[in-house]
Structures are given as C-alpha cells and as structure tokens.
Amino acid sequence: MKKSRILAVAGVALLATGVLAACGSSKTSNTEAPKAYGYVYTADPETLDYLISGKQSTKVVTSNGIDGLFTNDQYGNLTPALAEDWSVSKDGLTYTYKIRKGVKWLTSDGEEYAEVTANDFVTGLKHAADKKSEALYLAQDSVKGLADYVAGNSTDFSTVGVKAVDDYTLQYTLNKPEPYWNSKMSYAIFWPLNAEFEKSKGSDFGKSTDPTSLLYNGPFLLKGLTAKSSVEFVKNEQYWDKDNVHLDTVTLAFYDGSDQESIERNFTSGAYSYARLFPTSSNYSKIAETYKDNIYYTPQGAGIAGLGVNIDRQSYKYTSKTTDDEKTSTKKALLNKDFRQALNFAFDRTAYSAQINGEDGAALAVRNLFVKPDFVSAGEKTFGDLVTEKVVSYGDEWKDVNFADGQDGLYNADKAKAEFAKAKKTLEADGVKFPIHLDIPVDQTAKSYIARIQSFKQSVEKVLGEENVVIDIQQVTKDELFNITYYAPNAAAEDWDLSGAVGWNPDYQDPSTYLDILQTSNSEQTKTYMGYDNPSNPAVAQVGLKDYDKLLEEAGNETSDLNKRYEKYAAAQAWLTDSSLFLPAMSSSGAAPVISRVVPFSASYTQSGDKGSDVYFKYLKLQANTVTAKEYKEAREKWLKEKAESNEKAQKELASHVK
C-alpha cells in the first residue's frame, strides 16, 4: 500500500492481479547458471522519485538502483550497506552512522558523477519534506524538529535532527526512543540524494520514464523503461559489494493478468526462470502433470490484501445505484458497525483464495488480521495471541475466533446473520431501504481478481440474502481502476463502496508499521482505505476512529518495554478488527504454487522495507535446472535452522552498538 503500497499486488496480490511473478533467463545448459533474470510488474510508476513516492510501482523500479544505510541479508538480519558502522546513545535518542568511503554516484550510463557522502542523506530527507513525501509518516514524528519544519513552523532545515558531522559521519536525533529505528533505514525516504544533481534536473528529477533522471549507487543501473512494456537493469560494475551481485541483467516485463498461462509457457520455453502457477486455469492439470515433482508452495509473506470500506463516498460515476435513496442507504449501512461485521463474517476467505490458489492451496494464503499474527511476539505469545485476548471484550461474536494464518477464522454464517439482524433493525428505523447495493470496481483484464470478487459476491449474497445485500461488480479498465482507487488524488475521487485495491507491505519491524497508517491524520492512506482525507469528517467520529487514534498514541508512547508495547498495539488491532472498517482477505505475497530456477533462499529476506526478495536482486542466484519440491523442502529446513542461529547472533551484536 505508504500511501497504500499495493501490490499490483507487490508479489503480491499486486493491485488487481493478486500476483507478482518472477521471470528470468533464456535457456542455458545444465552446467551453466543463468545470469539474466526478469520480473513481472503490473503497474507503471508515476514517478522515479524514490524519496517522495510510497507506492509499490516506484519501489519495484528504484530499489535496485539506490542503497541506503542498511539492507537485509538472506536471513532477515539488517546488514550494513552505506553505513559501515553505527552507534546509538544510551538514551536511545541519537544514532550516529559512519558512511562507507569510496561509494560512487553513477549515471544510468555508468559514468561516475560524485562520491556518496553524509550530506546526501540530509539532502534526501530535506527533499522528502519539501515535496511532502507520501512516506513522511515514517519520519516526521520521529526525527526531532521535522514535524515543525513540515508544518511550516520552522523554515530552517538545520533545526531538524539530521546532520552531516563530516563527509563520512551522519547523525539523527529522535524525539523519543524507537528500538526499531534502524529497520526504517531500508525504506526509501531515508535514502541519499546528490544536491547538485537534483538542482541540475529541476522538475525533471525522477521523471517516470527517464532512467537518466536519477543517479545510482546500488547493485544495478536502470537502463530502460517503456510504459506497459518493460523495465531493464544491468549490473553496476562499480558497486562497492559487486561480489554479492550474481546477475548481469534484470528485466521486468509488464503483465496485465489477462493471460495467466503465459507465465508458465515462458518458463517452459526457457524465457523465464520463475513462474507463479494458477490452479484454476484451464491448462493447469497438464502443467501439474508435467511439473508434478517441481511444484511447491512459498511461505506466506508479511503483506496484507483485503477490502476497504468507504465511509464517505462522494463520486458515483461507476455505480449500479439509480436513486439518491440507494446512495443514502448504502452510506448509512456502511457507517453501521453491525452491518460491517455482517459483511466480515459473511466473507468466505477460503473460497476467495481458491480463485487463485485452487482448492488444495486455498487456505494457505488466508489472513485474518491486518498485522501478520506472528510479525512480533511478546514472550511466548504471538501478536495474534495478544489480539485474541483483547478482542473478546468487544462482544461475544469474537469468542473462539482463530486469528492464525493459513485458515479462515472469521467466516461464520450464523454470526453474519445475527449481526445483520441487529443492523437491519437499526437501519430500517433510520429510513434505510433494502437491499443495500455495494459497488466494487475491478480491472476487467484481471481474470483471477474478478473471480475473487465474484466469490465475495456469492458468499455475501448467499449468507445475507440478495433481498438484503447486493454486490455490484463494476468492470473497468486498469487505468480507470487506478484513477478511482490507488492513484485517486483525493477522497472525492474514490469512487467505490468496497475496494479490493488496498493492501500493505510493512516498512519496519514493529506493529506500528501496519496500524499507524490508518491514523485519521494520514490522509494519503485513509482516503485509499476508507474514502476520507479529512480527520474532521463527521463520519470519522461516527465510526469511532478517534478512539483508534488514542489507542495508537498510547502504544506509540510505550518505548521502554517491548512486551507492553506489543500488548498496546494488539489492543489497537483488536479495535480495528471489531470495527470491520477493513476486511482482511489474504497475504499479498507468498502461499502460492510456483515452479522455479531460482536457487532457494539465495535472495535477501525481510518482512519489511524496500529491500525484500520480491524487488531486490542483490544476492539472488539462478540455477540451470528446475528446482524440485524435495530440494525446496530440504533447502527451507536448512535455511530455517541457519536463520535462527544467525538471528540470535545478530541480536547479541546489537548491544555492542550502544555507547
């Protein structure tokens, strides 16, 4: 979603397709590992300005070209990139980084432009603040003085808590301790920018179709970008860590979701090195027979995809409603918590997932919470366990609900009918006419996504009755869908009642990275998820979102005890779950059947940030032969053991950086 960093969908259920498949090299002999890799992308970037965009479509194109202070290794540990070393003060407020010497800024042609210095990080954050970056929420309440600068209370950026002590020493001063601060450094708003280059480009800096509008210091150089066609990278031969770059080229091929079997065909022909499979496609039985020993399911990712609820719809260009009464009735219904809960419990997520994963793999992708339930833990309890304990205080309907991944803990026809009965009684007394018509826009070319929304329609109408609720699917072009959801300039342009064009990938390793985006002050996110961009909107108070703000504030202020912090964020998640203002559906990446020539677990691994294996190709290796399911299983078991040992060692090393 991060202005909703949605995966078209970001491996994810990228915004309308639910898929982001990796592709790769042409045929090679079994003795020669391929050096060319490709990746399907599903949305062109609006901009290449990585400092101001929070969208997945930009991240896919820029993450390989620019490195920040940290990246992630194959086990999910933060590992130094441009930060050769670092330290944090005992009070947790001052972070000092030693910048790696000799790292060069290069043009897209590989010509040296300048050396990367500490000043470039100061320039980058100033640029993000001046341009009102979509990702400012990650920084403005964290870095001392930044909120005042953004608000215009101060016009002197030197008052902001980021400074270059010298060319190779960078220092941040925070408002309060953030134990997860370093994990934010792999997110693009904290990456460097050369001031001279920015000035020379002017308004053309980061132009969406122009690789020459950026400088590069990362593992790859962007060489070409053709809208709805391809994105091309070549290895940066002057990269400071080029020995860990095993690919010579990377090609991103545009994929609109209309021909699901094209990915497998290209894999079989040798053109691709990875293929996401679709068990519901017409040719899948033949594919399964051909690759029966090679198909495996990937683990669930940290990203979430689901349905947003518009609490103040203003546009009706794409609608099946024919009267003002229908519009008013729908608005009143969506402002009623019992009605939203009825939708939540009537939503058969296993059937929804089956439209892309098939019946055998359907449950594997199901998610029941906005925050990944095992994203963090407090002692022996996962985050999901904490939510389970807290949500029951909101009502008996939440008793015995299982929030774990990989199963549908929310679908319950009896609960749905009970909540709807309460809602209908209240709404009829308020003059609401039934049935309630709910518009959901879909990309008319994205077959698997249309099938999922049709599944949602079927389950809701069957459980609640078509005389009560009708789901009206609005099939539109991809551009139209983007314009009224993902790229809508304001809440007034969000033309939908329910939207599946919402999803999120976490930015850093703390529950706040999910939950804080729905604070009422975060207009870039709230308009995409809930259809409003003004926290003073009467609908905000009517659905109780100010209570959610208070819970987030209490959790954010807890910085000394992580267990207590996670418990307080679990309370905020419990409120969000009970509100049913967002209907979780499935993980936006992973839990998918694939065939691959990617060496298992060779890529970087992370649950957050902009350097994950779905978009960052440093470390990644290819092999000539197709991976077998047995090889993948053995590699995963080995990786899990090594990961546990590596993570434990990394945690012990953290203490040495406190000065």
Side-chain angles (χ1 to χ4, degrees):
M1 123 233 266
K2 258 183 211 166
K3 175 171 180 146
S4 163
R5 287 207 287 144
I6 299 161
L7 310 192
V9 159
V12 168
L14 278 177
L15 189 47
T17 69
V19 158
L20 192 55
C23 329
S25 67
S26 57
K27 283 186 176 180
T28 61
S29 71
N30 285 343
T31 59
E32 180 184 356
K35 296 292 185 180
Y37 182 85
Y39 203 81
V40 171
Y41 78 105
T42 63
D44 291 317
E46 286 185 311
T47 178
L48 299 185
D49 189 342
Y50 50 92
L51 292 156
I52 69 169
S53 176
K55 293 187 175 69
Q56 185 77 5
S57 50
T58 295
K59 182 179 78 167
V60 166
V61 178
T62 59
S63 288
N64 289 283
I66 296 93
D67 271 359
L69 295 174
F70 291 94
T71 185
N72 294 89
D73 65 15
Q74 295 94 323
Y75 302 111
N77 301 311
L78 277 176
T79 186
L82 300 189
E84 196 167 34
D85 196 9
W86 65 279
S87 63
V88 58
S89 60
K90 288 184 178 180
D91 62 7
L93 296 178
T94 304
Y95 284 75
T96 304
Y97 302 93
K98 293 297 182 180
I99 304 301
R100 191 179 302 278
K101 295 181 180 180
V103 176
K104 305 298 183 182
W105 282 118
L106 304 174
T107 68
S108 61
D109 291 327
E111 296 180 357
E112 184 178 327
Y113 187 91
E115 185 175 9
V116 179
T117 69
N119 284 295
D120 295 336
F121 290 87
V122 179
T123 300
L125 190 57
K126 183 178 186 300
H127 174 86
D130 290 342
K131 300 292 185 179
K132 299 296 189 289
S133 170
E134 294 172 351
L136 269 177
Y137 64 90
L138 285 168
Q140 70 178 36
D141 292 330
S142 300
V143 179
K144 188 176 181 180
L146 184 57
D148 282 339
Y149 181 82
V150 171
N153 299 328
S154 169
T155 58
D156 182 2
F157 194 75
S158 67
T159 62
V160 176
V162 56
K163 66 178 180 179
V165 179
D166 55 45
D167 282 351
Y168 304 106
T169 307
L170 175 69
Q171 192 171 87
Y172 289 95
T173 303
L174 308 185
N175 288 316
K176 60 184 179 182
E178 293 187 7
Y180 49 86
W181 170 258
N182 276 341
S183 67
K184 286 186 175 183
M185 297 300 100
S186 63
Y187 195 70
I189 192 175
F190 295 103
W191 295 351
L193 170 64
N194 181 276
E196 181 182 340
F197 182 79
E198 177 196 14
K199 183 177 179 180
S200 72
K201 288 296 181 180
S203 61
D204 285 337
F205 174 74
K207 189 175 180 180
S208 64
T209 57
D210 184 7
T212 69
S213 66
L214 293 181
L215 290 179
Y216 306 88
N217 65 19
F220 295 91
L221 306 176
L222 179 62
K223 298 298 291 184
L225 195 162
T226 304
K228 294 184 179 178
S229 177
S230 64
V231 181
E232 301 173 40
F233 298 91
V234 298
K235 181 178 180 178
N236 178 1
E237 295 295 344
Q238 298 187 61
Y239 185 54
W240 66 272
D241 194 26
K242 68 177 183 179
D243 289 346
N244 279 314
V245 183
H246 308 293
L247 303 170
D248 291 335
T249 63
V250 172
T251 301
L252 301 157
F254 184 74
Y255 174 70
D256 66 6
S258 62
D259 184 0
Q260 294 177 340
E261 295 173 355
S262 65
I263 298 176
E264 177 274 323
R265 289 198 303 271
N266 283 318
F267 178 90
T268 299
S269 71
Y272 289 177
S273 61
Y274 181 100
R276 200 268 194 225
L277 302 179
F278 299 88
T280 57
S281 64
S282 60
N283 197 39
Y284 184 73
S285 59
K286 182 178 180 181
I287 295 171
E289 181 179 350
T290 301
Y291 289 104
K292 60 182 178 181
D293 295 327
N294 304 97
I295 298 173
Y296 61 88
Y297 280 82
T298 56
Q300 271 187 293
I304 172 69
L307 297 174
V309 176
N310 194 333
I311 61 174
D312 187 27
R313 183 178 180 180
Q314 300 172 56
S315 298
Y316 292 91
K317 181 178 179 181
Y318 303 96
T319 185
S320 296
K321 298 178 180 65
T322 57
T323 67
D324 288 341
D325 279 346
E326 288 182 342
K327 296 174 184 177
T328 300
S329 292
T330 297
K331 274 194 174 185
K332 288 182 177 180
L334 290 178
L335 288 171
N336 181 286
K337 185 174 74 168
D338 293 327
F339 180 82
R340 298 192 304 269
Q341 286 187 352
L343 295 177
N344 210 356
F345 289 127
F347 183 4
D348 186 343
R349 290 160 177 81
T350 305
Y352 184 89
S353 176
Q355 306 311 309
I356 190 170
N357 265 8
E359 291 186 6
D360 291 343
L364 298 176
V366 173
R367 177 154 294 155
N368 302 281
L369 293 175
F370 193 51
V371 179
K372 190 173 187 288
D374 60 356
F375 189 65
V376 296
S377 295
E380 298 298 318
K381 296 179 180 178
T382 66
F383 188 78
D385 293 333
L386 298 176
V387 176
T388 299
E389 294 175 354
K390 295 183 180 300
V391 75
V392 292
S393 66
Y394 287 101
D396 290 345
E397 65 269 27
W398 298 111
K399 286 183 178 179
D400 303 319
V401 173
N402 184 356
F403 292 113
D405 274 349
Q407 54 81 46
D408 191 345
L410 293 172
Y411 176 57
N412 187 303
D414 290 337
K415 289 182 180 180
K417 291 174 182 177
E419 295 306 313
F420 181 79
K422 290 190 291 183
K424 189 171 186 178
K425 182 178 180 180
T426 301
L427 291 170
E428 283 185 330
D430 194 25
V432 168
K433 305 296 184 184
F434 290 84
I436 302 298
H437 284 266
L438 298 170
D439 294 312
I440 304 182
V442 299
D443 173 5
Q444 62 193 15
T445 66
K447 294 180 180 178
S448 69
Y449 183 65
I450 292 173
R452 274 177 281 162
I453 296 301
Q454 287 173 334
S455 170
F456 174 78
K457 172 182 171 68
Q458 182 178 7
S459 67
V460 169
E461 292 180 354
K462 180 180 179 181
V463 171
L464 301 182
E466 291 182 58
E467 71 278 11
N468 292 313
V469 180
V470 175
I471 305 298
D472 294 315
I473 300 174
Q474 308 296 326
Q475 295 198 29
V476 298
T477 67
K478 182 183 288 289
D479 288 342
E480 286 174 322
L481 178 67
F482 279 147
N483 290 338
I484 63 173
T485 57
Y486 192 43
Y487 292 148
N490 48 50
E494 298 281 354
D495 194 358
W496 46 274
D497 295 315
L498 300 177
S499 171
V502 292
W504 193 254
N505 274 338
D507 296 313
Y508 51 91
Q509 200 64 33
D510 188 74
S512 59
T513 187
Y514 291 92
L515 298 170
D516 282 3
I517 70 164
L518 299 180
Q519 282 181 310
T520 60
S521 58
N522 288 338
S523 60
E524 283 295 342
Q525 287 80 23
T526 61
K527 74 177 180 61
T528 305
Y529 282 83
M530 299 180 192
Y532 77 92
D533 53 12
N534 181 357
S536 298
N537 188 314
V540 171
Q542 190 167 343
V543 299
L545 276 163
K546 293 300 183 180
D547 293 332
Y548 181 68
D549 282 351
K550 291 177 183 177
L551 291 169
L552 292 177
E553 183 179 5
E554 291 175 7
N557 287 334
E558 178 57 68
T559 60
S560 60
D561 187 325
L562 281 182
N563 287 347
K564 289 182 179 178
R565 180 182 178 86
Y566 296 159
E567 286 181 7
K568 290 182 177 181
Y569 273 113
Q573 170 69 84
W575 185 96
L576 183 64
T577 294
D578 178 66
S579 78
S580 296
L581 287 165
F582 174 80
L583 310 182
M586 57 192 296
S587 55
S588 57
S589 64
V594 302
I595 45 179
S596 173
R597 285 187 284 271
V598 176
V599 175
F601 304 101
S602 62
S604 64
Y605 171 79
T606 179
Q607 293 195 104
S608 61
D610 286 347
K611 298 290 184 180
S613 59
D614 57 340
V615 296
Y616 191 56
F617 309 118
K618 181 180 177 180
Y619 304 118
L620 189 145
K621 298 178 182 178
L622 301 177
Q623 63 185 52
N625 295 323
T626 304
V627 177
T628 67
K630 180 181 179 181
E631 288 172 343
Y632 180 82
K633 180 180 179 181
E634 292 173 349
R636 176 167 170 76
E637 291 173 352
K638 180 174 182 289
W639 177 78
L640 286 172
K641 181 180 179 181
E642 293 174 348
K643 180 179 181 297
E645 296 171 351
S646 180
N647 293 166
E648 183 178 2
K649 181 180 178 181
Q651 286 298 315
K652 291 179 179 179
E653 289 179 352
L654 284 176
S656 67
H657 292 278
V658 179
K659 305 297 183 182

